[in-house]
Amino acid sequence: MSARHLVLVGMMGAGKSTVGEACASRLGRGFVDTDTLVEANSGETVAELFERGEAEFRAWERRAIADVAASPVPLVVACGGGAVIDPENRRALRASGVVVWLRATPETLAARVGDGTDRPLLAGDPIGALRRLASLRDDAYTASADVVIDVDHHAVDQVVDAVTAAYEAHATEVGA
Ligand code: S3P
């Protein structure tokens, strides 16, 4: 088995945490959600950090990703949706893991996030914000991903099958 992390990236509502936890139990690995790590390290919720400005949250997120990337124990990592905007985060994640982009249309994402509670960037107009952020971030997701998996209309189990298969294939392919 590869010693690299399995890293899930993608927009809010793509299913990174749900799929990540299932992949971790399938692979017998630990699971880390970077938002959860940020909250544990800072002692504040993501929403509270955003109240002091997005930069405050992004600084905590950058530290969490650097820590996770440095872990010698291979993990399954679900990244907050905006993590890959930062080139340093992209570099750290790509260097330490196989990065899988869970890609979905804004319509699928909107159906999953509901009214956007607990996601400050979606407040007020979730579908509008998802469309705008998705188009702004497309290049960053493309640049970060080793593998792209379209999740629209797929059940969690199907996505987990696809992610773990792609992870094993890719890890073998690159000889990692
Ligand atoms: C964000 C996504 C959220 C969280 C924060 C910002 C984003 O994580 O990190 O609200 O910029 O897309 P999820 O993608 O896990 O919802």
Side-chain angles (χ1 to χ4, degrees):
M1 183 180 289
S2 168
R4 300 171 80 200
H5 299 319
L6 165 54
V7 179
L8 299 176
V9 301
M11 287 285 292
M12 295 171 266
K16 298 169 301 240
S17 303
T18 306
V19 168
E21 276 188 81
C23 288
S25 74
R26 180 98 54 104
L27 295 169
R29 292 193 176 177
F31 172 70
V32 175
D33 181 309
T34 62
D35 287 339
T36 307
L37 186 57
V38 162
E39 292 186 337
N41 289 346
S42 67
E44 293 183 82
T45 65
V46 170
E48 285 166 345
L49 291 168
F50 263 85
E51 277 168 26
R52 295 213 303 279
E54 183 171 346
E56 179 72 19
F57 170 74
R58 297 296 172 200
W60 283 100
E61 183 177 58
R62 197 174 305 118
R63 283 193 286 272
I65 286 175
D67 286 350
V68 165
S71 164
V73 179
L75 299 165
V76 177
V77 183
C79 294
V84 298
I85 300 164
D86 181 322
E88 179 53 29
N89 289 344
R90 287 204 296 271
R91 193 207 56 75
L93 292 167
R94 287 186 58 85
S96 62
V98 175
V99 181
V100 179
W101 175 14
L102 299 185
R103 185 169 61 182
T105 62
E107 289 70 24
T108 295
L109 300 170
R112 293 190 187 168
V113 300
D115 63 6
T117 306
D118 297 331
R119 287 174 163 119
L121 293 177
L122 300 185
D125 175 20
I127 181 78
L130 287 164
R131 287 203 179 103
R132 186 177 51 80
L133 290 172
S135 74
L136 285 174
R137 291 175 176 178
D138 230 50
D139 289 350
Y141 289 129
T142 301
S144 69
D146 295 299
V147 179
V148 183
I149 293 182
D150 286 307
V151 301
D152 298 294
H153 313 302
H154 291 296
V156 170
D157 276 356
Q158 292 175 306
V159 177
V160 172
D161 288 347
V163 170
T164 50
Y167 171 71
E168 298 290 3
H170 193 86
T172 308
E173 200 178 284
V174 298

